Amino acid sequence: MSYDNFLVLANDWQEKALQLLLKGNYAQAAILYEQAITEQPSVKSYYWHLGLIFLLQEQEAEAQTTWLLAMAEGESEEIELWTAELLEVLEAEAERQRLNLSNYEVAWAIRQHIREINPGDINNLLHSVGLSILRTTYRGEEPDTLDSIIKLLKSDIPREVDSDLLLQVWKSILDVAPFHPSSFEFTEACLNYVKEPLPVIEILLLFAYDIAYSGKQFHLATRYVELALQLEAKHQEILRALAGFYQDIGNFSKGIETAKLCYSVMERLGDKIFANHLLLRGLMLAGGHWEDGWSAFEAHKLMMWDLIEECPTNLDSTAAIRLMSSLFFFPYFEDKPQESGKIRIQIGNLFQQNVENYAKPIVEKCRHRSLPLLEGSNQKKRYKVGYLSYCLRSHSVGWLARWLFEHHDRDRFEICAYLIGSKLTNDPVQQWYISKSDQAYKLGVSGIEAAEKIYEDEIDILIDLDSITMNCNCEVMAIKPAPVQVSWLGWDASGVPNVDYYIADNYVLPESAQDYYAEKIWRLPETYVAVDGFEVGVPTVRRDSLDIPSDAVIYYCSQMGYKYNPNTARLQMQIIKAVPNSYFVTKWFADQESMKNFFIQSAESEGVSADRLRFLPMAASESVHRANLGMADVVLDTYPYNGATTTLETLWMCIPMVTRVGEQFSARNSYGMMMNAGITEGISWTDEEYLEWGIRLGKDALLRQQISWKLRQSRQTAPLWNGKQFTREMEKAYEQMWQKYVENSRNE
C-alpha cells in the first residue's frame, strides 16, 4: 500500500481497528496497527494502541517491548510527552473495561501497568484499590498499594487528587474492611483532602455507630469519632457519640467531661435532655458521683415536664427515639413508679405522634395490613411470632430467653428473630438463636428497616425484648408492623401506645401497677421468666488470693455502677460492721476509681475499715463470673434497682441473698424470683428488714446451709427452673392475645 493510499484509507482502518478492539478481536486489530506502523513509523499513537492490544491478549512482554521501541530514540521532553499519551490511552481503556464491560480483572491489570509507568499517580492507585474491592479480593491487606496511597496523601508535595474518587474508595474500604488497621490509617490520611467536612462527618459517625453497636468495636469507633472531631470541634453529633463511646470503653472521666461539653452546645430542649442523659450515664457508670448524679436527675425531670408541655410533633427519627432513651435512669434513682410512669406514658405518646408523622408511609401501610387475617376462625393453625432484640447474644437477655426458643412448639408456632444491630456481629450465642429460628435476620439499627421486614413477613405477634435499652426497638413498636405487640424481659415497659401487652407475674408488679402502665399488664400464672439453668465455669479467684480467712463471712454484691445507691451502700456497711470477721466483695472496672472511693467512704462513714473491702476485676466470661460467685456466703442485692440475671445466677448457685422490695418493676425482680424459687428468707420490705436479714444470714451458718439446700432442691420443682412449663404458659398467652385481637377487631 502506498503512503498516499494509506492516508486516504486512514479513517476507515482506524474505525475498523476500533470496532475490532471493541468486539475483542484483538488479533485482527493488531494486524491493522502493525500495518499502520510499517507505513507511518513516526506516529507514536499506533505503538500505544498496539501495545495495549498485546496487553489485552495477556502478552505483557510484547506490550512493553512495543512501547519501549517507540520511545527508544526520543529526547527527554519527547519521552515525557509520549508517556503522557500512552498513559491517556491506558487510562481510557481501563475505564472502558470497568464501566462498559465490568471486566474488573482486566481493568485492574491495566492499572498495574499505569502504576509501573507512573508510580506517583495517586488517582490510578485509588482506582486500583477500588477495582480490588470490586474483584472481591480486597481485605485491607494490600500494604503495597494502600501504603503508597497513604504516603502520598501525607506527603508535603501537592497532589491532584480526585476528591470524588477518594471519597468513593474510602467509603468502599470502610464497607469491606471495617476493622482492619489500614482502614483507619487511610481514613486519617484522607482528612487533609476533605473539602466539605459535613458529608465526611456524617459518614464517619454512621460508620462508628455501626462498628460499635453491630461489631462491638467500641475502642475503634471512639478513634474514628476522634478523627471527626478534627474536622469540627463542637459538632453536636460528634460530641454525643464521643461522650457515649468514652463511657462504653470505661474512660469515664472523658465521658463525663464530653457529656458536659455536649450539653453546653445544645440549643433545643430535646437535645439538652439527651445530652443530660449522657451525663447521667457517665456519672452512674463511673459510680461514686451520687450528688452530681442526683442534681442532674432532678434537672432531667424538670426538662422532661417542660418537653411534655411543649409537645413538639416535628421531630426527626433520631431526635424522637432519643427521647425514649432519656427515660432510662428514672428507676435507678427513685422507686416512685406513679410519677415516673406518668412521665413515661406522656413521653411514649409524644414519641408515637412524631413517629407517625415522619414515618407516615409505612405506618399507614402497617395499619391496613391486618384486615385479611380476620377471616375465618379465631384459631390459627400456626402463629407467626417475631422476637425483636439487640441482645439475643452473649448478654443477660440472651442468656434468659434461650429456653423459650429451645422449648417452643414448632407445630403451633413459627419463630422469626429480628436481630437488631447485628450485621457485623459474630457471636456464638447469637448463632445459636439463629439456628433455633425458622427465619432470622441480622439487621442494622434502623427501626424503619426492621419494621419493613416484620411487615413483609406478616408476623402475627411481635415480642420486643429490649424496650428502651435499644431505642430503635421503640420506633418499630410505634410503627406497629404486627397486629399484636408485646414487651417482655427488657428494662421495663416503654409506654409506647402501640404496645398492647407487658408480660409480668403476680410478684414483679403490684396490683395497682395498671394505673401507671399504658400497656395492658398480662400476668403469667407463676413466673414471668424461667431458665433451665446456667453454665458454670472454673473459678479464677479464691479466698486466699483475696487475703480473706477461710472462716470469714463473705458478702457479695455484683452489679453495674448504675445500681449502687448510697442508702443501700450504707445499709451494706452497717451489716459488715455488725457481723464479726466479715468482708464485702464487689466487682469493678479498672477505671472506676470513683466507685472504689465511694465504697471506701461509705465504709469509713459507718466505722468500717477499708481493709474489709475487696474489689474484683471483671470476669473473662459469664460462666467464670458464676463460678467466682460461688465464694460468697451471702449476696446483698441493690435497691431501688434490683439484680435480675445476677439474682437468677445467685439462686442457681444456691447462695442466700437479701433483697429490698419496692413498688416498681426493677425493685421487685429479686422478690419475684425468690418466691418462684420457693425462698422467703432474705426478702425485706423496709430498710430495717434488709439490715436485719443481712446480719442474721451472716451470723447464722446453719440458716445459710438450710437455704442453700432448699435452693438446690428447688431445681427439680420450682417454676423458676422449669423453662418448658414457662414456654407453654407464654404460648398460651400468645394464643389468648390473638383471640382477643380478632374478637376486638370484629367488634369495631
Side-chain angles (χ1 to χ4, degrees), residues 47-48 127 265 276 349 535 550 565-566 581 687:
Y47 295 90
W48 315 149
H127 274 299
V265 302
N276 196 63
N349 281 320
E535 297 82 359
S550 59
N565 181 286
N581 196 26
D687 287 353

Side-chain angles (χ1 to χ4, degrees), residues 62-255:
E62 289 82 349
Q64 292 174 352
T65 300
T66 302
W67 296 329
L68 289 172
L69 179 64
M71 298 186 187
E73 297 179 357
E75 300 294 335
S76 59
E77 291 182 0
E78 290 177 310
I79 292 174
E80 185 176 341
L81 175 63
W82 295 338
T83 300
E85 291 175 357
L86 172 58
L87 289 171
E88 187 176 342
V89 169
L90 295 176
E91 174 74 29
E93 182 60 20
E95 284 300 274
R96 186 181 79 87
Q97 292 286 340
R98 179 178 70 91
L99 295 174
N100 297 353
L101 304 179
S102 299
N103 196 337
Y104 306 131
E105 293 289 340
V106 173
W108 181 84
I110 293 172
R111 290 204 171 275
Q112 301 318 297
H113 284 276
I114 295 176
R115 182 181 180 183
E116 288 182 14
I117 298 168
N118 185 13
D121 184 348
I122 191 168
N123 293 321
N124 178 63
L125 294 173
L126 289 168
H127 274 299
S128 294
V129 172
L131 287 165
S132 294
I133 293 170
L134 291 172
R135 293 162 63 219
T136 68
T137 61
Y138 183 85
R139 298 290 183 273
E141 297 176 354
E142 287 199 8
D144 185 32
T145 305
L146 203 60
D147 283 356
S148 297
I149 295 174
I150 293 170
K151 288 176 183 177
L152 289 170
L153 289 173
K154 289 184 175 181
S155 70
D156 296 331
I157 303 173
R159 302 283 171 186
E160 290 294 329
V161 180
D162 183 334
S163 56
D164 291 337
L165 174 62
L166 181 66
L167 183 65
Q168 178 186 345
V169 172
W170 172 58
K171 289 168 63 178
S172 298
I173 284 175
L174 294 184
D175 285 340
V176 299
F179 307 136
H180 199 281
S182 63
S183 300
F184 180 84
E185 293 170 18
F186 180 62
T187 302
E188 190 175 29
C190 289
L191 293 187
N192 294 330
Y193 293 83
V194 172
K195 294 180 179 179
E196 297 182 20
L198 291 182
V200 175
I201 288 172
E202 182 179 353
I203 293 168
L204 275 170
L205 288 171
L206 288 173
F207 174 71
Y209 281 126
D210 203 21
I211 62 173
Y213 295 111
S214 288
K216 313 299 180 287
Q217 297 286 330
F218 289 98
H219 282 86
L220 184 58
T222 304
R223 294 178 66 202
Y224 273 101
V225 180
E226 287 174 335
L227 290 182
L229 196 65
Q230 297 177 25
L231 299 175
E232 189 169 337
K234 291 191 177 181
H235 189 282
Q236 293 182 358
E237 189 59 38
I238 293 174
L239 294 175
R240 271 191 287 251
L242 265 184
F245 289 157
Y246 281 140
Q247 295 164 20
D248 289 326
I249 66 175
N251 192 338
F252 301 116
S253 58
K254 267 195 170 183

Side-chain angles (χ1 to χ4, degrees), residues 260-278:
K260 289 178 179 178
L261 177 59
C262 181
Y263 182 88
S264 71
V265 302
M266 297 301 172
E267 297 178 357
R268 296 181 303 181
L269 180 57
D271 292 333
K272 283 186 172 292
I273 287 173
F274 188 72
N276 196 63
H277 161 77
L278 290 173

